């Protein structure tokens, strides 16, 4: 299996064209903040490929992989799966997509995830889309969404919130200190949140259009 870098286009002499531009946007925010919902909207309007780390891990469980039981147990406990497992799944999905613009949803979830991704792929996010939402609203959404997820019960939800506060918020802080965070008020109805999201992705935004 190649890496995203291996998949970069080569010129007539077979040497790597180092200027192939891959756009990565990390989509972060607490459990139930609306990452998946808004990513679907972004895909429809802006031609990104949506990669949900949680969905890739759940697919890995279903595929009967040797890591399946370990991943399932971690998700049930709201814990963060080892970086190498998640990064491999993300790299594979990026390579298979044929696209060069990615929304990576729900990853990186801790500092180690972040550092490992940058080291292994050599990529940094163009920016980080951060869905900011009060915990009580996120809890209400998770308990009412009925997607049959084993981790949408109040006991696991509480654990996920704790992991988010302790491990994931520092990642958002890190990117904030680099001026890369685009914060969205995510406590509003889906359409209103998407209006704010559009402001970030609008082509007149030099960073995206570049
Ligand atoms: N998860 C993980 N690493 C990731 C993404 C997800 O370990 O990079 C696990 C973790 O246990 C998390 C669960 O998958 O609680 C569900 O993640 P998802 O992003 O689907 O849901 P969210 O908590 O954001 O609603
Ligand atoms: Mg999700």
């Amino acid at each position: 299996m190649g890496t995203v870098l291996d998949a970069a286009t080569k010129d007539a002499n077979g040497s790597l064209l180092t200027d192939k531009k891959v756009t990565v946007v990390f989509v972060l925010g607490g459990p139930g903040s609306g990452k998946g919902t808004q990513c679907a909207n972004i895909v429809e309007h802006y031609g990104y490929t949506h990669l949900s780390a949680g969905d890739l891990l759940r697919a890995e469980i279903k595929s009967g992989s040797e890591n399946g039981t370990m991943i399932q147990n971690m998700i049930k406990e709201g814990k963060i799966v080892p970086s190498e497992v998640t990064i491999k799944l993300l790299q594979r999905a990026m390579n298979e997509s044929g696209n060069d613009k990615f929304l990576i949803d729900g990853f990186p979830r801790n500092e180690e995830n972040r550092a490992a991704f940058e080291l292994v792929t050599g990529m940094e996010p163009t920016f980080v889309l951060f869905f900011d939402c009060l915990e009580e609203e996120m809890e209400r959404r998770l308990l009412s969404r009925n997607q049959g997820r084993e981790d949408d019960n109040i006991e696991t939800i509480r654990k996920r919130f704790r992991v988010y506060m302790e491990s994931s918020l520092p990642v958002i802080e890190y990117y904030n200190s680099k001026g890369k965070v685009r914060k969205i008020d995510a406590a509003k109805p889906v359409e209103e949140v998407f209006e704010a999201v559009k402001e970030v992705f609008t082509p007149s935004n030099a960073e995206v259009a570049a």
Side-chain angles (χ1 to χ4, degrees):
M1 187 186 70
T3 66
V4 163
L5 291 178
D6 292 335
T9 42
K10 293 184 177 174
D11 67 16
N13 301 318
S15 62
L16 206 60
L17 293 175
T18 47
D19 61 355
K20 183 182 185 252
K21 194 169 166 284
V22 175
T23 303
V24 168
V25 174
F26 287 149
V27 181
L28 301 177
S33 60
K35 304 183 292 291
T37 303
Q38 294 298 335
C39 281
N41 284 336
I42 298 165
V43 165
E44 217 174 282
H45 288 74
Y46 299 100
Y48 280 76
T49 292
H50 174 209
L51 302 177
S52 159
D55 287 352
L56 290 169
L57 290 167
R58 283 182 285 272
E60 188 69 0
I61 297 171
K62 277 210 186 120
S63 78
S65 119
E66 56 177 337
N67 282 324
T69 309
M70 179 274 290
I71 297 171
Q72 188 167 27
N73 289 332
M74 307 227 45
I75 288 181
K76 245 188 246 164
E77 289 300 312
K79 290 182 182 157
I80 298 167
V81 172
S83 294
E84 61 201 79
V85 172
T86 314
I87 291 171
K88 239 180 233 164
L89 294 173
L90 287 168
Q91 282 187 302
R92 188 168 71 196
M94 283 192 262
N95 282 328
E96 286 172 358
S97 75
N99 201 348
D100 57 3
K101 291 161 72 179
F102 302 99
L103 299 170
I104 299 190
D105 157 7
F107 178 95
R109 276 180 132 81
N110 60 17
E111 273 295 301
E112 200 263 328
N113 274 179
R114 179 194 68 70
F117 181 86
E118 290 184 3
L119 189 73
V120 171
T121 67
M123 294 189 285
E124 283 191 34
T126 307
F127 60 88
V128 174
L129 193 63
F130 167 40
F131 290 113
D132 188 28
C133 193
L134 267 184
E135 196 169 294
E136 53 184 6
E137 169 64 12
M138 296 195 284
E139 183 178 300
R140 197 184 57 72
R141 293 177 184 176
L142 293 172
L143 290 174
S144 62
R145 71 181 179 183
N146 293 323
Q147 291 175 343
R149 275 176 52 167
E150 275 190 298
D151 56 350
D152 281 350
N153 59 79
I154 191 62
E155 196 191 335
T156 309
I157 287 170
R158 294 264 151 86
K159 289 179 183 165
R160 288 156 68 195
F161 283 149
R162 193 170 327 124
V163 169
Y164 171 65
M165 298 290 283
E166 288 172 3
S167 303
S168 309
L169 272 181
V171 175
I172 296 164
E173 283 303 319
Y174 168 84
Y175 285 120
N176 196 37
S177 74
K178 299 186 107 192
K180 289 198 169 190
V181 171
R182 307 292 175 265
K183 179 165 136 177
I184 305 284
D185 176 0
K188 297 178 186 163
V190 173
E191 303 73 35
E192 282 179 48
V193 174
F194 189 54
E195 287 306 312
V197 168
K198 277 197 234 165
E199 301 270 310
V200 175
F201 283 87
T202 189
S204 63
N205 182 327
E207 155 185 84
V208 177

